[in-house]
Amino acid sequence: MPVTSQPPGRRERNKQEKLDRITAAASELFAEYGVEDVTTQQIADKADIGTGTLFLYAKSKGELLLLVQNAHYAEALERGRADAQIIQDALGAVMAIVRPIVECNRTQIGNGRFYLKEMVFGDPNEPRHSEALSIVAQTEEAIAAILDREKPAGAGAAATAARIVSAIMFVSMAASVNAGLEVEELVQDIRTQISVLISR
């Protein structure tokens, strides 16, 4: 007899409904005001919950930003992967992955830079942080696959080069000196750096 999964119970539905409200409230407030100018109290009020309840779902604004942004970054990566599949040139294919991630990061520059800081310095045991690191790992895997098809040099060499590409991208997006750059300028800067690595 086949095993059928049980629909979620009332408690699980209530938890998911609260999480959805928190995510929507944080997303709207962060987009409008920027993460630095929003308080957890404002998010709790907008989500119509107490701050104690809010902290059951996320312990800090940083975790709330990860909650909101992880889905956007994952979607950007998927778009980049799809675009990269139809590009033969290795640099072009890598940049097809990089571009939507940069665009996602620059939607609200302060939030994008704060997200990167949380990703690097946040609590690695926190689930939202783990999700963010998983997106980085998936990005590096996608880039490694492109580099390996161009110059098969073993999985280790491609993975190392992909990690360097990832570092170039994230440092370029996070750097204070680049905060005023438009998306196209930043993409060009990243492309120039990556081209040196790939052409070796």
Side-chain angles (χ1 to χ4, degrees), residues 57-165:
Y57 291 85
K59 296 175 189 150
S60 67
K61 277 199 301 185
E63 289 181 16
L64 285 165
L65 185 64
L66 290 171
L67 171 68
V68 168
Q69 293 290 83
N70 282 343
H72 297 307
Y73 276 74
E75 193 274 330
L77 173 58
E78 285 313 303
R79 276 190 290 125
R81 277 180 163 160
D83 292 344
Q85 286 180 349
I86 58 171
I87 299 173
Q88 294 302 313
D89 167 59
L91 180 58
V94 168
M95 291 310 298
I97 289 174
V98 168
R99 176 178 286 280
I101 293 172
V102 171
E103 291 170 346
C104 179
N105 180 265
R106 301 312 256 197
T107 300
Q108 215 285 3
I109 293 172
N111 291 352
R113 293 178 69 221
F114 196 100
Y115 176 80
L116 297 174
K117 184 180 90 172
E118 273 305 308
M119 188 188 296
V120 173
F121 298 109
D123 178 1
N125 298 313
E126 196 281 316
R128 310 298 172 213
H129 185 268
S130 297
E131 290 169 14
L133 294 179
S134 174
I135 295 165
V136 173
Q138 291 169 46
T139 303
E140 291 175 4
E141 287 167 11
I143 292 169
I146 291 167
L147 298 178
D148 196 43
R149 82 176 186 214
E150 178 74 8
K151 292 182 184 175
T160 299
R163 201 169 308 118
I164 295 168
V165 169

